[in-house]
């Protein structure tokens, strides 16, 4: 059994019949489109997609900062009085 990460799901055949109606019905919520009762793909709004991409970028930046903070051998001393 696959986990479905959406409040709304629809079969592939129903989705093919009228994708615009599915989009209108779902509003801002993601839709799991199922093929043989398993998620084939998720339909999400551009707004939600952009938020997800921003979150992934932020996580990458956090990882980069943690890596750089842990690597003190390459640290550059900064004299804040000279700024």
């Amino acid at each position: 059994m696959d986990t479905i990460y959406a409040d709304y799901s629809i079969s592939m055949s129903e989705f093919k019949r009228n994708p615009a109606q599915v989009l209108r019905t779902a509003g801002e919520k993601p839709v799991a489109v199922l093929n043989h009762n398993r998620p084939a793909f998720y339909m999400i709004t551009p707004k939600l997609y952009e938020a997800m991409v921003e979150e992934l970028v932020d996580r990458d930046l956090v990882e980069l900062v943690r890596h750089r903070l842990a690597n003190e051998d390459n640290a550059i001393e900064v004299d804040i009085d000279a700024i």
Side-chain angles (χ1 to χ4, degrees), residues 39-67:
F41 65 91
Y42 289 90
M43 181 183 72
I44 59 173
T45 63
K47 182 179 176 180
L48 180 55
Y49 181 78
E50 289 167 10
M52 290 169 57
V53 168
E54 284 182 30
E55 178 67 25
L56 291 172
V57 167
D58 288 349
R59 287 180 184 210
D60 286 346
L61 289 174
V62 167
E63 184 60 34
L64 177 62
V65 168
R66 286 185 178 149
H67 175 72

Side-chain angles (χ1 to χ4, degrees), residues 14-79:
E14 288 178 70
F15 177 78
K16 286 179 185 178
R17 236 177 275 141
N18 195 346
Q21 179 60 42
V22 175
L23 184 61
R24 280 191 298 276
T25 301
E28 292 292 316
K29 294 186 177 187
V31 177
V33 180
L34 309 177
N35 188 25
H36 300 289
N37 292 324
R38 301 181 96 175
F41 65 91
Y42 289 90
M43 181 183 72
I44 59 173
T45 63
K47 182 179 176 180
L48 180 55
Y49 181 78
E50 289 167 10
M52 290 169 57
V53 168
E54 284 182 30
E55 178 67 25
L56 291 172
V57 167
D58 288 349
R59 287 180 184 210
D60 286 346
L61 289 174
V62 167
E63 184 60 34
L64 177 62
V65 168
R66 286 185 178 149
H67 175 72
R68 288 183 178 174
L69 287 172
N71 194 358
E72 293 180 19
D73 296 338
N74 293 332
I76 298 172
E77 189 172 327
V78 177
D79 182 7

